[in-house]
Amino acid sequence: MNIFKQFIKSIYSPKDIAKFRFQGIGKTILYVFFIMLLSIIPGVIYITKLAYTVLDEGQQIITHDIPSFSIHNGTLFSKEKKPLIIVKNDLTVLFDSTGSIQENDVQKGGTVIALLKHTFIFKSDGKTQVMAYSTLENQNLNNSNIQSFLRSLQGVMWVGIPVLFIFYYLMTAAGGFIKISIFALFGLLLAIRLEKKVNYRQSWRLTAYSITLPSVFFTIMAALKTTVAGAIYIDWIITLIVMLLSIREIPSPKKTSV
């Protein structure tokens, strides 16, 4: 059975997952790499799109929409007397050299870039990164050198995105292998409880295919940009349930009569 048929079977058939416990470890490892690759696709697409949007629209905003400014001694200076809010597609830029807007005020949805009096804030996908200008170590910034920096970033995107993708993939795969190795121990406990003859290597293979259903579910949720409350617990529960159902499909050893 090829890897794609195994993928389909692993979504709905604990009986087939139970049969996969006898296959070669190399094929199982290849399957794990396949599942991990599938799971990061929405994230890679989102990050790529976000990077191009921020760089392209960021250059336009710096050039045409934001007044002249400078950053030195950890403070943003400009002649603007009130905060500016600039919205372009899903990107919102807040510019405030007056100190009226504080970090806690940056609550808008979507992607937000905020140039505030003393801090730079980047918010995307519910995650917020904050950097104080004081960390720039007395470097002076203004519209011109930020424009040059954004142009240089745009020029190396074709190198940066693949490198980021490979790093992200390797980290995700490493996490997947660690998860499978830990849950395989739970598989042994379930096998003992159900009086099934399963060793650790077989439990590892069963676990590798049991993560298919939760992986597909969370990949779809990521593609829909839907946050799942308690995602890690749902992931664990679904994985354990699929493992339990798969182990139950394994024939029990015959008991010898005395």
Side-chain angles (χ1 to χ4, degrees):
M1 188 181 296
N2 65 43
I3 196 170
F4 298 105
K5 288 183 179 179
Q6 287 184 319
F7 170 69
I8 298 299
K9 292 285 187 180
S10 298
I11 294 175
Y12 69 89
S13 178
K15 186 174 183 179
D16 283 288
I17 292 176
K19 295 177 182 178
F20 297 155
R21 73 189 187 278
F22 293 120
Q23 74 172 17
I25 189 63
K27 189 173 183 179
T28 305
I29 290 174
L30 178 63
Y31 183 82
V32 175
F33 276 113
F34 168 72
I35 287 295
M36 295 300 106
L37 177 63
L38 181 70
S39 68
I40 70 169
I41 288 176
V44 170
I45 292 174
Y46 174 77
I47 291 171
T48 303
K49 182 180 177 182
L50 175 63
Y52 277 103
T53 298
V54 169
L55 289 179
D56 185 47
E57 296 190 356
Q59 284 191 66
Q60 296 182 33
I61 291 171
I62 289 290
T63 304
H64 303 292
D65 300 308
I66 288 182
S68 296
F69 68 88
S70 63
I71 299 173
H72 57 89
N73 295 328
T75 305
L76 173 67
F77 296 95
S78 80
K79 295 181 179 180
E80 192 68 30
K81 301 302 181 182
K82 60 182 180 179
L84 294 178
I85 300 176
I86 303 161
V87 180
K88 289 197 174 183
N89 298 322
D90 193 41
L91 176 63
T92 300
V93 175
L94 304 178
F95 180 87
D96 178 30
S97 59
T98 67
S100 300
I101 299 177
Q102 303 299 318
E103 291 181 22
N104 295 335
D105 298 326
V106 184
Q107 302 293 337
K108 291 183 176 293
T111 302
V112 180
I113 295 175
L115 290 164
L116 305 184
K117 184 72 174 178
H118 300 289
T119 55
F120 170 83
I121 299 175
F122 179 74
K123 182 178 179 182
S124 179
D125 198 26
K127 300 176 182 178
T128 302
Q129 303 292 328
V130 181
M131 184 189 75
Y133 301 137
S134 57
T135 61
L136 297 175
E137 299 180 352
N138 297 321
Q139 295 184 43
N140 294 328
L141 298 179
N142 53 43
N143 303 61
S144 180
N145 50 33
I146 290 180
Q147 279 180 276
S148 299
F149 177 68
L150 291 176
R151 280 196 297 269
S152 65
L153 282 181
Q154 201 165 34
V156 299
M157 281 286 288
W158 64 277
V159 175
I161 291 296
V163 170
L164 179 63
F165 165 75
I166 292 171
F167 178 76
Y168 184 31
Y169 177 47
L170 292 177
M171 292 297 293
T172 302
F177 280 105
I178 293 171
K179 173 187 173 182
I180 292 168
S181 298
I182 294 173
F183 272 76
L185 296 173
F186 289 102
L188 284 178
L189 296 176
L190 290 173
I192 293 171
R193 180 69 177 175
L194 296 173
E195 298 182 345
K196 305 292 183 178
K197 190 175 181 180
V198 176
N199 58 37
Y200 182 78
R201 288 179 297 177
Q202 292 174 343
S203 181
W204 199 95
R205 294 179 178 94
L206 287 171
T207 308
Y209 290 95
S210 296
I211 67 171
T212 303
L213 181 58
S215 296
V216 170
F217 171 74
F218 286 108
T219 298
I220 293 173
M221 292 298 101
L224 297 175
K225 297 182 181 179
T226 301
T227 302
V228 181
I232 189 171
Y233 301 109
I234 294 173
D235 184 16
W236 293 350
I237 291 170
I238 296 176
T239 299
L240 289 171
I241 289 175
V242 175
M243 288 174 63
L244 174 63
L245 295 176
S246 301
I247 292 171
R248 288 182 62 180
E249 293 291 338
I250 299 174
S252 299
K254 295 182 180 179
K255 296 181 180 180
T256 56
S257 57
V258 180

